[in-house]
């Protein structure tokens, strides 16, 4: 017989889902007020800027993104239309395709970071001490959320890329 979640575990789940939804909605609204496109654009541009040569296969991009993107091809279409990325054929596999960030894409990602980092501070950083944030990361890591196991490494990577 399978064990049912405790009342406490269920309450934690509900809170996790609610806070995720509320914070993402708030971030989207803050970016919109600042005149920027949706967070998915930043997410895609950031991942491409981190990739070797600034390029990835669309399926790799989808796996790397923080926000679920069920229609990555439509997102890439919009980024192409805006001149932020280009699609190019894979040299070794003519059926394959790469998405590559353009200089305009790099510039938009950097500009968006100013607004995005401010909204992270507003909705998360201002509400948690650094020690609380470390504890929260540890708890989330136990749920399988760890990217590379190091909040400091993530911060250093994001800060280096965002500049």
């Amino acid at each position: 017989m399978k064990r049912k979640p405790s009342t406490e575990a269920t309450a934690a789940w509900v809170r996790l889902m609610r806070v995720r939804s509320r914070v993402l909605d708030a971030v989207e609204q803050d970016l919109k007020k600042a005149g920027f496109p949706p967070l998915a654009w930043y997410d895609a541009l950031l991942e491409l800027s981190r990739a070797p040569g600034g390029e990835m296969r669309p399926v790799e991009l989808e796996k790397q993104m923080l926000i679920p993107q069920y229609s990555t091809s439509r997102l890439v279409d919009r980024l192409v239309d805006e001149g932020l990325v280009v699609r190019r054929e894979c040299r070794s596999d003519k059926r394959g395709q790469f998405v590559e960030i353009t200089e305009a894409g790099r510039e938009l990602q950097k500009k968006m970071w100013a607004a995005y980092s401010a909204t992270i501070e507003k909705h998360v950083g201002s509400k948690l001490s650094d020690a609380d944030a470390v504890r929260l990361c540890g708890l989330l890591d136990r749920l399988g959320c760890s990217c590379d196991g190091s909040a400091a490494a993530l911060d250093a990577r994001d800060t280096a890329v965002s500049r």
Side-chain angles (χ1 to χ4, degrees):
M1 176 177 243
K2 293 184 179 179
R3 182 179 161 209
K4 292 184 180 179
S6 68
T7 302
E8 295 81 5
T10 302
W13 169 255
V14 170
R15 283 180 173 85
L16 185 61
M17 292 299 100
R18 284 185 181 154
V19 77
R20 177 193 179 277
S21 176
R22 289 178 183 158
V23 170
L24 280 176
D25 287 348
V27 168
E28 290 285 6
Q29 288 303 311
D30 288 351
L31 288 175
K32 187 175 184 177
K33 285 178 190 171
F36 289 114
L39 184 56
W41 287 38
Y42 176 85
D43 196 12
L45 293 171
L46 177 65
E47 292 306 331
L48 288 167
S49 71
R50 289 178 173 165
E55 64 182 25
M56 301 174 97
R57 290 182 183 267
V59 69
E60 294 168 344
L61 177 61
E62 186 172 350
K63 287 178 187 175
Q64 287 297 113
M65 291 179 62
L66 294 175
I67 299 171
Q69 190 53 246
Y70 305 107
S71 57
T72 304
S73 63
R74 276 185 265 164
L75 172 63
V76 170
D77 288 344
R78 289 190 296 263
L79 296 174
V80 167
D81 290 347
E82 294 296 322
L84 303 171
V85 303
V86 293
R87 280 193 177 96
R88 64 172 192 75
E89 190 177 82
C90 176
R91 291 178 188 97
S92 62
D93 176 5
K94 298 297 182 192
R95 296 170 295 159
Q97 191 178 79
F98 279 94
V99 178
E100 183 177 358
I101 191 168
T102 64
E103 193 54 42
R106 289 183 191 280
E107 288 302 314
L108 178 62
Q109 183 266 319
K110 288 175 186 173
K111 288 177 186 173
M112 286 183 77
W113 175 244
Y116 185 29
S117 63
T119 200
I120 290 169
E121 176 58 26
K122 176 181 172 183
H123 299 290
V124 179
S126 68
K127 294 173 172 55
L128 299 174
S129 68
D130 288 346
D132 287 341
V134 168
R135 279 193 293 279
L136 180 58
C137 285
L139 291 170
L140 293 171
D141 287 351
R142 287 172 48 191
L143 297 175
C145 297
S146 177
C147 292
D148 68 5
S150 167
L154 282 174
D155 182 51
R157 182 179 69 185
D158 288 346
T159 301
V161 171
S162 64
R163 292 186 184 157

